[in-house]
Amino acid sequence: MADLTIPPPSARNDLEIAILCTLKIEFDAIEGLFDHFWEGDRNYGKAPGDPNAYSTGRIGEHDIVLAFLPGMGNVSSANVASSLRSSFTGIKLGLVVGVCGGSPYGLDREEILLGDIVISTAIVQSDVGQQYSDRIVITDLLEDSFGRPNTEIRAFLKKLSGLRASKQLRGGTQLYLSELLQKQDYKAYQYPGATNDMLYQASYRHKHHSSRCAICAKCQNDWDPVCDEAQSSACTQLRCEENMLVQRARLQNVHDTPDSGSLLAYQSQQTLQPLVHLGRIASANQTQQSAPLRDRLLKEKEVIAFEMEGAGAWDNFPTIVIKSVCDYADSHKNKIWQPYAAATAAACVKAFLKEWRRAGRLQSLQQDHTGDNFHVQFHLTGLPVASHFVARDAEMEKMEESLLPTKAPDRRKIHVLHGLGGIGKTQLAIAYARKHQHTYSAIVLVNGSSRDTVVQSLVAFGRRAGVTSVSQSTTGTAQQAPDMNAEADAVLRWLGLRKNSRWLMIFDNVDRDVQYDEEGGQAYSVTSFLPAADHGSILITTRLLSLGGMGESIEVTKLESDQALELLSYRSGLHRSSS
């Protein structure tokens, strides 16, 4: 979630992190996890003569420039990185993100599955050396010739190797992956299924396994050619034999589980959560599709992944490669896993950046904007929170357009969600609050079902925030305890302070019509509980269509059929077998 209490960068030199992607699925996945884009607010431009295309925005507390590589390979990445550095001179960290080939095992023989992520501790340039008839001898190691990663990167990677930090990174990756895959535009990025995670024995070539092809029939070792048709055909078309597959321990429960809805199946899902591995990554200008060479590089150079852009960026700024394994770098390579791998890599980047801390500008800006003690920790006490929320992307985007503090920061912003009871208004409001909890200095959650509950909600917030005294009475209704009215008024005055302008108030369940109140005067006008100042963001959920005139409004209607099926699948437990 973007921390918008920190102002946008004043100039492009203030952006400190660059992300480089090559494939469309890679940068689409990264953009899907941006918390905010700056293009709609300001244009940072680029230096004269810079041919690159960029997006700028924020992920968490970090301002990001995302560069799109026009082609694959280290030459392309070197050119893009060089031009990027000329435009964004403040870059402190470059992340090369996307998909890669991987070794099926790490240095300690831990399994690496398709969809797992590899973070580079060093780059091996694997296309520099001597090629003989039976082998390639690599002579260049970038951590020797270009220097090791700088001290800050080495210290951070060391931290990530620890039990606590690695657990946090894995948990964050899973959280953001789930967030991305729930979005409507990312249905094609789902987990392809354990049965499609196939590792063949290293000596078993991808070729026609029948006598009808003379070229493939003569292929006996890793250096013999195969026909062009075989190179572009799937394993099923070539009749690659299942008895040549290597059994994977992390996949055993999935293959052996007859009841996809059972507890064992659910537990096996946990083993399929992508793991994060730290190690050396080979970088070259061609794809790696040789299992014997893959295994030799693991043994001789401790390489656990293979990609094509990291070496090019390495010499332009401090670089870390974060890529997800989409194939086993052998002749059976295909593209089935690329979308999911792009999603897991993007999710890992967001989790990685959550742990990455920088001193300097961000820290000082946070101190400047929290020095007036207007920050109140967010919590959801008293509100019903669904265990699974089906994303309503269109409604969320409209709310963000009208409510975010960056939109008309010096004016009050009101948004109304109206619709039938039980249609999902409250959960949509909670989802917005969760997504943007770091955007606001304080979020005031108000039970709007009656005048009494409004007063009680304001009093509870005031005491938690330290605005009012906890020594005052907490019993009785607002009419019986006039001090509570005074406390509620104190909260509204606090929200009206000139420097306290980045708050969000959520009035939930404002369903009593003040014109037809028949329940003891408990209906009320929302405007009587709004701060007097012309700032802040206010979100109202109601069944009353008449309240829509208070500001921007959305009618929350029933779920679309695919959203309803998703919710039904989750509540019935069928989602556990979706993989």
Side-chain angles (χ1 to χ4, degrees):
M1 300 176 191
D3 188 350
L4 296 181
T5 61
I6 303 170
S10 58
R12 63 174 180 262
N13 294 341
D14 290 330
L15 281 78
E16 296 187 346
I17 295 179
I19 297 177
L20 282 67
C21 295
T22 302
L23 303 179
K24 180 180 183 298
I25 55 170
E26 295 170 347
F27 60 72
D28 279 346
I30 285 289
E31 287 193 324
L33 287 173
F34 264 63
D35 294 311
H36 188 77
F37 289 96
W38 294 131
E39 280 91 333
D41 304 323
R42 55 185 65 217
N43 181 11
Y44 291 105
K46 57 185 180 180
D50 181 355
N52 293 344
Y54 301 112
S55 285
T56 57
R58 183 168 289 176
I59 297 178
E61 66 177 25
H62 299 287
D63 293 312
I64 309 291
V65 53
L66 172 61
F68 308 93
L69 273 62
M72 301 174 68
N74 286 312
V75 174
S76 178
S77 63
N79 291 335
V80 168
S82 177
S83 296
L84 186 152
R85 189 58 185 268
S86 70
S87 292
F88 298 86
T89 58
I91 295 299
K92 301 293 192 301
L93 175 66
L95 300 177
V96 181
V97 181
V99 301
C100 67
S103 166
Y105 300 99
L107 298 181
D108 298 324
R109 295 297 295 175
E110 73 276 12
E111 283 188 332
I112 299 176
L113 298 183
L114 301 185
D116 282 1
I117 305 104
V118 179
I119 299 177
S120 66
T121 57
I123 298 293
V124 175
Q125 192 166 2
S126 57
D127 56 356
V128 176
Q130 294 81 40
Q131 178 170 333
Y132 299 98
S133 60
D134 61 341
R135 70 190 189 279
I136 296 175
V137 177
I138 297 171
T139 60
D140 196 15
L141 185 64
L142 288 188
E143 65 178 324
D144 294 330
S145 60
F146 287 90
R148 296 181 299 171
N150 65 32
T151 303
E152 184 177 19
I153 289 178
R154 296 203 310 273
F156 184 70
L157 294 177
K158 194 71 172 180
K159 172 189 172 183
L160 290 185
S161 68
L163 290 175
R164 176 174 169 272
S166 62
K167 183 177 180 181
Q168 289 176 328
L169 184 64
R170 179 184 176 185
T173 298
Q174 184 63 28
L175 173 66
Y176 298 128
L177 177 63
S178 177
E179 174 187 317
L180 182 66
L181 296 185
Q182 287 185 38
K183 295 185 177 182
Q184 187 65 33
D185 293 337
Y186 294 88
K187 299 300 182 184
Y189 287 69
Q190 304 300 314
Y191 179 67
T195 55
N196 287 314
D197 189 339
M198 296 183 290
L199 170 66
Y200 286 93
Q201 295 178 20
S203 59
Y204 188 68
R205 288 291 299 277
H206 185 75
K207 63 175 185 175
H208 286 104
H209 293 281
S210 64
S211 58
R212 72 180 183 87
C213 176
I215 298 176
C216 290
K218 295 178 181 178
C219 176
Q220 301 298 323
N221 59 55
D222 193 53
W223 297 96
D224 291 336
V226 297
C227 71
D228 293 340
E229 181 184 353
Q231 292 179 351
S232 59
S233 299
C235 287
T236 53
Q237 296 173 301
L238 301 180
R239 299 182 181 178
C240 294
E241 301 162 286
E242 290 190 5
N243 62 356
M244 302 302 291
L245 289 171
V246 178
Q247 297 300 311
R248 313 288 274 154
R250 283 171 60 195
L251 299 178
Q252 286 304 297
N253 287 341
V254 179
H255 291 308
D256 297 339
T257 302
D259 180 6
S260 60
S262 69
L263 176 61
L264 180 58
Y266 175 74
Q267 291 172 337
S268 70
Q269 288 287 334
Q270 310 309 304
T271 70
L272 296 181
Q273 292 182 1
L275 299 185
V276 181
H277 310 269
L278 276 67
R280 289 180 177 177
I281 295 180
S283 187
N285 282 307
Q286 67 275 332
T287 59
Q288 163 62 33
Q289 298 186 55
S290 167
L293 178 58
R294 173 200 68 199
D295 294 346
R296 189 158 58 248
L297 286 172
L298 171 65
K299 180 180 179 181
E300 297 176 0
K301 300 294 184 181
E302 300 182 347
V303 167
I304 63 172
F306 305 84
E307 60 88 60
M308 299 177 61
E309 289 79 32
W314 187 273
D315 206 28
N316 286 280
F317 35 65
T319 300
I320 296 176
V321 178
I322 301 179
K323 295 201 172 185
S324 178
V325 178
C326 67
D327 61 72
Y328 287 119
D330 59 10
S331 60
H332 302 275
K333 172 185 173 68
N334 60 63
K335 297 183 179 181
I336 295 175
W337 285 82
Q338 284 189 354
Y340 177 74
T344 64
C348 185
V349 166
K350 189 164 186 176
F352 177 97
L353 290 174
K354 184 178 179 181
E355 302 300 322
W356 179 264
R357 297 288 183 268
R358 294 201 60 84
R361 175 180 176 268
L362 291 177
Q363 185 179 39
S364 63
L365 285 172
Q366 286 178 319
Q367 291 170 347
D368 291 343
H369 287 266
T370 59
D372 293 306
N373 296 320
F374 295 131
H375 183 268
V376 180
Q377 186 175 359
F378 171 69
H379 77 127
L380 290 168
T381 301
L383 284 181
V385 182
S387 58
H388 179 73
F389 175 73
V390 176
R392 292 176 179 257
D393 294 336
E395 291 88 340
M396 185 68 72
E397 289 179 6
K398 290 180 180 178
M399 293 161 65
E400 290 171 339
E401 288 174 3
S402 62
L403 286 175
L404 286 175
T406 52
K407 313 294 183 181
D410 298 325
R411 295 184 60 185
R412 175 188 290 174
K413 297 166 281 293
I414 299 179
H415 199 96
V416 180
L417 301 176
H418 64 88
L420 298 175
I423 205 70
K425 303 183 297 294
T426 296
Q427 294 306 319
L428 181 56
I430 291 173
Y432 177 86
R434 277 179 155 172
K435 181 176 181 181
H436 294 290
Q437 60 179 287
H438 298 297
T439 301
Y440 298 97
S441 56
I443 297 180
V444 187
L445 302 174
V446 178
N447 182 346
S449 57
S450 70
R451 176 182 290 272
D452 282 358
T453 58
V454 171
V455 171
Q456 291 162 5
S457 297
L458 291 173
V459 169
F461 173 84
R463 293 174 179 175
R464 184 167 59 86
V467 177
T468 57
S469 171
V470 296
S471 62
Q472 294 170 292
S473 172
T474 59
T475 60
T477 65
Q479 290 87 345
Q480 295 170 330
D483 282 348
M484 293 184 72
N485 286 323
E487 289 187 64
D489 289 340
V491 171
L492 297 179
R493 289 195 300 273
W494 179 78
L495 293 171
L497 293 175
R498 182 175 60 86
K499 292 185 178 181
N500 186 14
S501 61
R502 299 182 69 87
W503 45 261
L504 169 68
M505 290 186 78
I506 299 179
F507 287 84
D508 185 44
N509 290 329
V510 184
D511 298 330
R512 298 180 189 239
D513 193 329
V514 69
Q515 299 182 30
Y516 305 102
D517 184 27
E518 299 177 356
E519 299 185 39
Q522 284 300 305
Y524 60 95
S525 171
V526 176
T527 57
S528 64
F529 288 102
L530 298 183
D534 188 18
H535 61 232
S537 302
I538 299 157
L539 177 60
I540 300 170
T541 74
T542 181
R543 301 181 191 181
L544 304 177
L545 181 61
S546 59
L547 293 185
M550 292 185 63
E552 299 290 333
S553 65
I554 297 175
E555 180 182 6
V556 181
T557 59
K558 64 182 181 179
L559 295 171
E560 298 294 337
S561 58
D562 58 339
Q563 295 173 319
L565 287 172
E566 179 184 340
L567 182 60
L568 177 62
S569 173
Y570 185 90
R571 292 186 172 176
S572 65
L574 293 176
H575 70 291
R576 296 168 181 169
S577 60
S578 61
S579 297

